Amino acid sequence: MLNYFWAFNWGDFFKASMVLFAVIDVIGSVPLIIKIQEQSGDIHPARTSFVSLGIMIGFLILGESILKLFGVDVGSFAVAGSLILFAMSLEMILGVRLFRDSVSGKTASVVPLAFPIIAGAGTMTTLVSLRAEFQNINIVLAILLNVLIVYIVLRLTKTIERILGPGGIAIMKKVFGIILLAIAVKLFTTNIAKIILNVEAEKGVQKTEKSK
């Protein structure tokens, strides 16, 4: 147990924190959070933060094993998440409503806020990558720091909304909708290309085995 904590490194903790902060991008998600708040009536910062924390810690420890249990790889999971982000970005840019379910604040705090906006496919894919580079203690502490930042931003959402006003919010929705769309497209193309390459490689292996 002591060895686990002795593996802590300030440099690695800082690097992992910055990577997660950039991927989660809760500041850039403020227009989307406000939009969800308008649709659901309210959001619950503590609930969203705890669910996000649970998803990220759980995925860090058991993520790949859980996906393999269902026969799903990380790439397929990322593609599914990119499609959800794509739909959300269209809502923000075009002012249309694609998600027709009427959600309460409690429901919206979990889906789509905790997942896939905060602890989405991009975050989970990043956590898998970080495991290959840093010790788990540094990643866990980086997750805790980022969840704290998420909680603070969610608590201040209404204040931010008042400061920006309706015009500012409308402009931010359009701008960040385009950014979110670009992220969704990149996430989709990167992972769909990997999936296609893997399928082609499997076909090649099968052909080789049949020829033998």
Side-chain angles (χ1 to χ4, degrees), residues 124-144:
M124 293 181 182
T125 307
T126 301
L127 288 173
V128 173
S129 303
L130 290 175
R131 278 191 66 179
E133 192 172 353
F134 306 118
Q135 295 292 330
N136 276 357
I137 182 63
N138 300 302
I139 304 172
V140 169
L141 291 175
I143 290 171
L144 288 172

Side-chain angles (χ1 to χ4, degrees), residues 39-204:
Q39 291 181 350
S40 63
D42 194 17
I43 54 174
H44 300 265
R47 181 187 296 271
T48 303
S49 301
F50 278 119
V51 171
S52 302
L53 177 63
I55 291 172
M56 285 190 276
I57 295 293
F59 196 84
L60 176 66
I61 299 169
L62 300 169
E64 288 184 273
S65 301
I66 293 171
L67 292 178
K68 285 177 183 177
L69 183 66
F70 290 99
V72 178
D73 55 47
V74 176
S76 301
F77 190 77
V79 168
S82 71
L83 294 176
I84 296 173
L85 293 178
F86 182 83
M88 288 180 176
S89 65
L90 289 182
E91 283 194 339
M92 294 172 69
I93 296 167
L94 303 176
V96 297
R97 189 174 178 186
L98 301 175
F99 295 95
R100 296 294 177 184
D101 292 342
S102 106
V103 292
S104 65
K106 290 183 179 180
T107 307
S109 295
V110 178
V111 179
L113 199 46
F115 177 83
I117 295 173
I118 296 169
T123 304
M124 293 181 182
T125 307
T126 301
L127 288 173
V128 173
S129 303
L130 290 175
R131 278 191 66 179
E133 192 172 353
F134 306 118
Q135 295 292 330
N136 276 357
I137 182 63
N138 300 302
I139 304 172
V140 169
L141 291 175
I143 290 171
L144 288 172
L145 176 61
N146 276 277
V147 168
L148 178 61
I149 294 170
V150 166
Y151 175 77
I152 292 169
V153 171
L154 291 177
R155 291 284 296 179
L156 296 176
T157 300
K158 289 184 178 179
T159 305
I160 295 169
E161 187 177 8
R162 282 197 301 271
I163 292 170
L164 292 175
I169 294 298
I171 292 169
M172 281 189 72
K173 278 183 181 178
K174 302 295 182 185
V175 172
F176 284 103
I178 294 169
I179 294 171
L180 188 64
L181 179 63
I183 292 170
V185 170
K186 183 180 179 181
L187 194 61
F188 178 85
T189 53
T190 300
N191 287 280
I192 202 72
K194 289 178 182 178
I195 291 171
I196 292 170
L197 287 173
N198 289 337
V199 170
E200 292 297 326
E202 286 177 8
K203 285 181 179 178

